[in-house]
């Protein structure tokens, strides 16, 4: 974990309300793995008061580059979207536990909903080096929000797009698209997902009976981002009937969905 | 030579800057960013006798120049703390202050007694009678003078370490409460805990936080906290630890001048984990510039 | 057709947006910028029986996302108000609410009695029992339930207009105070007044404000005010006027959902004098978008 | 009084920590008189919370231009100093009562301390059209802070500079410079001043016995800026022993110093 200033190299608009930010910081780029996130201080004054967490969407350790992809939501992301090349961004990271792919495995499935696809792009790139098939499902509600994921992926990653407004790819929910593939015989050995909770819950539901390794990345409001404040709980089952609150920032953000209380 | 040390009755600190309870964990989370021995002290997260699960999410919401939290004292309970956390912390040479909360007087007494003899990494006990985010206990003890002085008295009897009582700002007259804690035998008062607040999510049309109500911290509340320190300073003899929205040296100076002999930094550590160290350096420069050999020269000066 | 009207017991307003006392003068200062008849009502600056000089400068200091003020009820007194100001205001067709403060019960009674018959430009009386910036009276009446209900009862007897009681947030339990006002016969409660705060000028090493202590208003305090409205709504039957840091429609919606049937805008008018009119338009759009025929559908919905 | 958006045309650094801002807004430019001020909203969000008051330093009604000159003090002026041409500034103004020069008069003296000279530049320009002599005294503590007042003034205005650090003009207080001129026979019929309170108090003291018309411009923290909140008091004598608080924003900012309780 580092507290450092990362240099803004490029801010790019990828789709409506969706931006990518290319940063330069050698140690961050080297130390980050898929599933890790940055806790970024936006603005100078007292507002916004808290840092903002963003998944790392990719790195080029050689060049010392790393990237995040974010959607405009409120004041913080608005300020970020106006960053200029040369600006220095105060970053805390890499934080959290990343995805832990299986040792031996041929087919990985990744499901991203909206900007939740960001950490999966990073993961898909790494997985492609060691897997026979890497199948990415990417769902957006409106085609306008679709980011060009192919630009972030190496050749060979299979991209399956679903748009709820029917403007591209499968018309409907990304989970329905995936289900239809499962019905036609797709047999993933591990499944990664990141996106809105209802989407992730549907994915988890699909595998209820299966022995597939599943790792989902969760979001929660965060203060410290490092595990000190217990501000970012996720309810996790312990044994048969008990539950505890774990910290998304430090114990996650990646959790086994079977253990999560939805 | 500038001396940054400060004396709070029986408690001596290397610097007047502490990490506020609930915002710095046991310090370990930040250990890779700084040498924790440079901090005046770390008040660790609130401890209870039995484990506490804490409140349902969301527990945090940002507000103008501040935030609400409703953690609900999530902690592993005394036994696990003593057996699992403390041995590790013993080795660190960090100055820790235990923040304790009970449902009953007895729980406070047990917690204090056990912790006073648990190991010398703990240098003081802070009674949290001001947590706004739990159903029983906590704030209940901190709003009625007679209840508070009786509690403090009982804890005082078993407490061999310096005893700090942390006050809630959610009262009509904090000086009355402060005097009750002093009468009960508190060595030091620490003020203030968070102000009760609420944010409503206008989309779901429900209170945003899982606990509905949370506690406001951060710069937004700073002027309110400075006022409370100022008024309390004029009402009690024992030393004060001030806190609430401190981010910059000027903020800390306001608390010192209002009467605090030390200050704690809470939520500012979220946006800048190095806040305490930065302020320590800045205070040194300030005292130098002002030709003051120590902090003492400015404590309470705003009272004229 | 969207109806922006709101009913607060005996008081009907064209819109649920009022100008908060002390922040909008008699409205005249802003008359060249807007048609004052578009406002739900203007609560005019606090009035006392005798003229008040007000507090020495400075009276204002900016704080994170807010400000402190310590005006000290500067006003020309009842007689001058009645003879010099009111006749002019009578012609304006604006809805005015008089905010009154006394040192004694008798002063409140005289003020209320005289103002109730002074002219129909005044549509209600607001008892200010919550001003933090004067020595006697004001906040003293607003912190003790029995004192407050006795005061309200006496004023009630002479008050022929709807009677609003404005509560202070500087209390341990606002619901107790609110019930006391209700028991005394208040028609409406308005909450909250400012929170007591202090800024210390670290150069002069003295409290910055001439009065030392001032009242915090603005977005910084909004979550605190929302909580107080939420809790009071659950404790009394009479309608509430909410205020504290409202700048945007979402802020106002939080107060409505917490239980306020109308809201007042205070310091936001300083940065944008047109805040009230902007919110009025935005509320209309919101209700339309949500398919709500009137505000009633969302008042108090956050209570589930 | 208008609430309007004025377009930023130019931001210029005049001296250390001192800037001028050229704005375009037809009605403001036309309506403003010397001594009037603008109440400007800086920044977008909740911080800074209050508007900032600045004297109008000059107008070109024909072009619709107006100008303020300000010194860096805190967050608000820092933001202002970073304004870019094309930005629209939310302005409330013109506010206050301006200077009211005498009907018939030949010699006007103006004393400006630091950035307090700003409204006097505007006034001097107008006065020069109708007076035989317009004598400006301008004092700064450090030469570095000196703004090039001559650029803001028509020819013929007599400029007397005093620097406390002795780096230019008279070495010492501007009031001492003025006093020496009085001793050498200068006989102003009206005196205008704006600057730090101690300076203005010294000026007032110099004229204690004289029958000279005096108008000083005062500062106080402001909230509304229009007279609604009583936030900006100045203590004014009434009769022999009584005083009242008047509003700097609405009853001033220009007051007769004889009536002010110092
Ligand atoms: C581990 C993690 C990884 C994330 N990765 C990404 C990413 O790669 N791309 C992306 O666009 N977004 C991501 N998010 C969500 C992102 O943090 C929020 O969209 C962002 O904080 C919104 O800030 P704002 O000021 O624009 O919005 P506002 O709504 O104004 O923010 C107000 C407060 O709410 C918090 N907040 C709002 N939405 C969320 C959210 N969904 N999760 C957590 N906190 C939130 C903010 O941090 C802030 O404290 C991630 C969140 C987490 C926890
Ligand atoms: C009628 C009037 C005319 C003025 N004209 C000029 C001018 O032409 N040029 C110029 O440089 N300055 C002028 N000032 C002072 C100017 O308003 C302040 O320097 C400015 O508000 C500082 O803002 P800040 O955010 O940079 O400083 P901060 O110190 O961060 O401001 C904090 C708060 O204090 C207030 N404040 C700080 N200093 C003053 C002050 N001296 N007077 C009033 N309020 C203050 C601010 O408005 C704000 O509310 C004038 C003030 C008044 C009242
Ligand atoms: C996330 C969070 C958790 C907290 N937990 C505790 C706690 O367990 N015990 C306690 O006495 N105070 C607790 N506090 C209050 C702080 O110690 C401090 O009094 C308050 O936050 C004001 O200081 P600040 O504005 O610098 O944050 C907590 C505050 C925050 C923000
Ligand atoms: C400058 C100023 C003067 C005020 N004067 C009064 C007053 O005379 N009577 C009163 O009841 N409230 C007074 N208030 C309180 C406001 O009416 C309101 O309750 C408070 O400011 C919170 O609302 P806001 O955050 O929208 O400003 C005053 C507030 C300010 C800022
Ligand atoms: S954000 Fe503090 S523990 Fe996760
Ligand atoms: S600033 Fe409000 S009256 Fe002057």
């Amino acid at each position: 974990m580092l507290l450092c200033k990362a240099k803004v190299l490029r801010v790019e608009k990828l789709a409506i309300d969706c931006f990518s930010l290319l940063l330069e910081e050698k140690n961050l780029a080297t130390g980050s793995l898929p599933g890790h996130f940055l806790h970024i201080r936006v603005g100078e004054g007292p507002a916004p008061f808290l840092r903002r967490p963003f998944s790392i969407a990719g790195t080029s350790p050689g060049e010392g580059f790393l990237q995040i992809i974010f959607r405009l939501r409120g004041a913080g992301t608005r300020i970020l979207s106006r960053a200029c090349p040369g600006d220095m961004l105060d970053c805390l990271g890499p934080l959290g536990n990343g995805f832990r792919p299986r040792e031996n495995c041929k087919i990985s499935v990744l499901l991203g909903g909206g900007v939740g696809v960001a950490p999966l792009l990073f993961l898909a790139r790494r997985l492609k080096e060691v897997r026979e098939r890497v199948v990415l499902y990417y769902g957006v509600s409106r085609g306008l929000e679709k980011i060009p994921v192919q630009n972030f992926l190496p050749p060979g990653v299979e991209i399956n797009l679903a748009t709820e407004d029917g403007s591209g790819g499968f018309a409907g929910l990304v989970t329905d698209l995936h289900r239809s593939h499962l019905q036609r015989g797709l047999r993933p050995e591990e499944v990664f997902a990141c996106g809105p909770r209802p989407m992730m819950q549907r994915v988890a539901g699909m595998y209820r009976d299966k022995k597939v390794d599943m790792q989902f990345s969760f979001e929660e409001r965060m203060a410290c981002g490092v595990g000190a404040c217990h501000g970012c709980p996720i309810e996790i089952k312990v044994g048969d009937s008990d539950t505890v609150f774990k910290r998304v920032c430090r114990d996650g953000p990646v959790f086994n969905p079977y253990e999560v209380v939805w | 030579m500038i001396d940054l040390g400060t004396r709070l009755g029986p408690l001596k600190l290397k610097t007047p800057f502490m990490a506020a309870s609930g915002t710095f964990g046991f310090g370990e989370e930040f250990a890779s960013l700084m040498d924790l021995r440079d901090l005046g002290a770390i008040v660790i997260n609130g401890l209870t006798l039995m484990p506490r699960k804490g409140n349902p999410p969301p527990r945090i919401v940002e507000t103008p120049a501040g935030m609400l939290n409703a953690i609900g004292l999530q902690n592993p309970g005394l036994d696990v703390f003593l057996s699992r956390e403390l041995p590790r912390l013993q080795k660190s040479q960090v100055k820790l202050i235990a923040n304790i909360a009970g449902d009953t007087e007895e729980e406070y007494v047990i917690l204090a007694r056990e912790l006073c003899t648990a190991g010398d990494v703990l240098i003081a006990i802070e009674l949290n009678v001001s947590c706004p985010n739990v159903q029983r206990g906590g704030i209940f003890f901190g709003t009625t003078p007679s209840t508070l002085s009786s509690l403090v008295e009982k804890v005082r009897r078993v407490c061999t370490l310096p005893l700090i009582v942390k006050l809630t700002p959610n009262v009509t007259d904090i000086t009355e409460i402060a005097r009750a804690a002093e009468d009960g035998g508190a060595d030091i008062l620490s003020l203030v805990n968070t102000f009760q607040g609420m944010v409503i999510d206008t989309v779901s049309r429900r209170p945003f936080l899982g606990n509905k109500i949370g506690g406001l911290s951060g710069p937004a509340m700073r002027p309110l906290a400075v006022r409370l320190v100022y008024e309390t300073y004029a009402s009690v003899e024992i030393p004060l630890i001030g806190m609430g929205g401190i981010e910059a040296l000027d903020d800390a100076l306001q608390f010192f001048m209002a009467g605090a002999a030390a200050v704690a930094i809470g939520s500012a550590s979220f946006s800048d984990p190095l806040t305490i160290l930065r302020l320590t350096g800045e205070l040194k420069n300030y005292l130098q510039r002002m030709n003051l050999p120590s902090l003492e020269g400015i404590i309470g000066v705003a009272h004229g």
Side-chain angles (χ1 to χ4, degrees), chain A, chain B:
Chain A
M1 179 175 82
L2 300 166
L3 181 63
C4 57
K5 300 268 183 194
K7 187 176 184 176
V8 174
L9 296 179
R10 197 169 62 227
V11 189
E12 207 176 331
K13 185 160 183 169
L14 301 177
I16 191 163
D17 288 351
C18 194
F19 297 81
S20 80
L21 198 61
L22 188 67
L23 301 170
E24 181 177 358
E25 214 293 328
K26 188 78 191 168
N27 295 316
L28 280 183
T30 322
S32 299
L33 294 171
H36 283 158
F37 68 96
L38 295 181
H39 212 26
I40 302 183
R41 190 167 185 184
V42 286
E44 284 172 56
F49 183 58
L50 296 171
R51 287 174 183 265
R52 302 296 195 250
F54 297 98
S55 300
I56 294 165
T59 63
S60 316
E63 301 161 299
F65 295 170
L66 70 167
Q67 194 156 31
I68 63 169
I69 295 175
F70 64 92
R71 224 186 124 167
L72 273 195
R73 286 189 63 105
T77 46
R78 194 164 337 108
I79 293 173
L80 265 193
S81 72
R82 293 181 188 156
C84 296
D87 287 358
M88 301 302 285
L89 271 190
D90 184 338
C91 294
L92 190 61
L95 298 175
N97 295 308
F99 295 107
R100 289 160 302 264
R102 286 179 120 173
E103 279 298 304
N104 295 306
C105 158
K106 294 196 179 118
I107 311 184
S108 305
V109 157
L110 292 70
L111 291 113
V115 77
V117 79
L120 301 179
L121 298 175
F122 190 7
L123 178 64
R125 257 200 325 275
R126 291 288 167 93
L127 285 178
K128 192 66 199 95
E129 295 164 12
V130 293
R131 296 281 186 268
E132 253 169 47
R133 285 183 71 191
V134 175
V135 189
L136 173 73
Y137 292 85
Y138 173 39
V140 291
S141 44
R142 299 181 302 155
L144 284 171
E145 294 162 13
K146 178 172 59 90
I147 63 176
V149 289
Q150 66 285 356
N151 300 352
F152 296 84
L153 293 170
V157 172
E158 301 164 42
I159 302 175
N160 298 285
L161 174 70
T163 60
E164 288 177 48
D165 67 358
S167 63
F170 175 82
L173 295 175
V174 67
T175 44
D176 291 337
L177 172 60
H178 180 52
R179 190 195 312 276
S180 72
H181 289 190
L182 289 179
Q183 282 159 355
R184 276 189 250 142
L186 178 71
R187 288 291 168 266
E189 292 150 87
E190 57 179 2
V191 174
F192 303 94
C194 182
R197 258 191 152 176
M199 172 213 138
M200 295 203 289
Q201 196 171 359
R202 276 191 298 270
V203 178
M206 262 181 249
Y207 286 92
R208 207 170 301 139
D209 307 322
K210 311 234 171 66
K211 289 270 164 289
V212 174
D213 194 46
M214 306 197 77
Q215 298 181 25
F216 291 8
S217 181
F218 288 80
E219 291 185 355
E220 190 47 72
R221 306 277 154 153
M222 290 183 178
C224 71
V226 299
C229 76
H230 291 287
C232 56
I234 182 167
E235 197 167 8
I236 299 290
K237 294 177 202 148
V238 190
D240 274 353
S241 59
D242 207 7
T243 66
V244 294
F245 285 117
K246 295 213 167 186
R247 299 162 299 183
V248 169
C249 70
R250 190 161 180 108
D251 306 315
V254 176
F255 291 93
N256 179 339
Y258 297 129
E259 296 174 359
V260 168
V261 180
W262 290 91
Chain B
M1 257 308 292
I2 300 293
D3 178 12
L4 284 186
T6 190
R7 174 182 268 289
L8 298 125
L11 184 65
K12 273 171 75 174
L13 299 178
K14 201 161 81 169
T15 89
F17 296 106
M18 320 178 9
S21 180
T23 63
F24 219 73
F26 300 131
E28 300 173 299
E29 290 79 4
F30 295 104
S32 68
L33 300 177
M34 67 191 90
D35 186 341
L36 298 172
R37 289 169 303 180
D38 292 339
L39 308 177
I42 299 173
V43 188
I44 61 179
N45 287 3
L47 263 177
T48 53
L49 190 56
M50 305 304 291
R52 287 274 177 107
K53 195 165 168 179
N55 289 323
R59 288 182 182 174
I60 276 176
V61 59
E62 197 179 56
T63 66
M67 59 179 281
L68 298 184
N69 88 78
I71 310 296
L73 288 176
Q74 175 169 354
N75 82 94
L78 180 67
D79 288 347
V80 174
F81 173 75
L82 291 178
S83 61
R84 220 174 50 197
E85 319 276 5
L86 200 60
R88 198 179 55 239
L89 298 168
Q90 285 287 12
K91 301 186 207 119
S92 64
Q93 293 187 280
V94 179
K95 305 284 178 215
L96 297 183
I97 295 176
N99 177 278
I100 62 175
D103 284 352
T104 61
E105 285 190 341
E106 287 64 45
E107 289 189 6
Y108 276 102
V109 168
I110 299 172
L111 282 159
R113 193 177 46 216
E114 299 293 316
L115 288 164
C116 279
T117 55
D120 54 6
V121 68
L122 290 175
I123 59 166
I125 302 289
E126 180 173 80
L127 290 200
N128 179 352
V129 288
S130 46
C131 180
N133 299 320
V134 289
Q135 289 300 316
R136 289 161 308 162
I139 207 166
F140 163 73
F141 287 101
T143 51
T144 321
S146 57
T147 317
L148 181 60
S149 62
S150 147
L151 170 69
V152 175
E153 237 170 72
K154 295 215 172 69
V155 173
R156 171 76 289 174
R157 261 178 250 143
V158 302
C159 187
T160 51
L161 288 174
L163 180 58
I164 307 169
V165 175
K166 181 159 179 183
L167 304 182
T168 172
N170 299 287
V171 293
T172 308
D173 181 3
I174 201 168
T175 64
E176 193 184 64
I177 309 288
R179 278 190 305 265
E182 184 179 38
D183 291 346
D187 295 309
I188 303 163
L189 299 178
S190 120
L191 52 170
V192 289
N193 213 316
T194 54
F195 282 82
Q196 292 187 285
M198 177 183 280
V199 166
I200 289 173
D201 177 346
T202 56
V203 176
S204 72
R205 302 183 181 184
R206 289 283 177 281
F208 184 89
L209 294 173
N211 186 50
K212 293 184 184 168
I213 287 179
L216 179 71
S217 62
M221 67 173 280
R222 191 196 310 137
L224 309 187
V226 170
R227 190 278 286 191
L228 294 167
V229 169
Y230 184 89
E231 300 210 329
T232 304
Y233 182 77
S235 312
V236 298
E237 302 292 324
I238 52 179
L240 309 181
I241 301 169
M243 78 201 70
I246 298 177
E247 286 189 325
L249 182 66
D250 190 75
D251 308 338
L253 292 176
Q254 289 194 51
F255 280 92
F256 294 137
M257 292 177 179
V263 297
I265 313 299
S267 23
S269 294
F270 300 151
S271 55
D272 179 5
L274 299 180
T275 304
I276 300 180
L277 297 191
R278 176 168 46 81
L279 296 187
T280 308
E282 288 177 9
L283 179 64
K284 200 165 195 167
N285 292 341
Y286 172 84
L287 293 176
Q288 219 139 27
R289 217 167 50 241
M290 293 290 145
N291 256 317
L292 290 165
S294 78
L295 192 66
E296 236 170 284
I298 58 167
I299 294 173
V301 289
H303 292 263

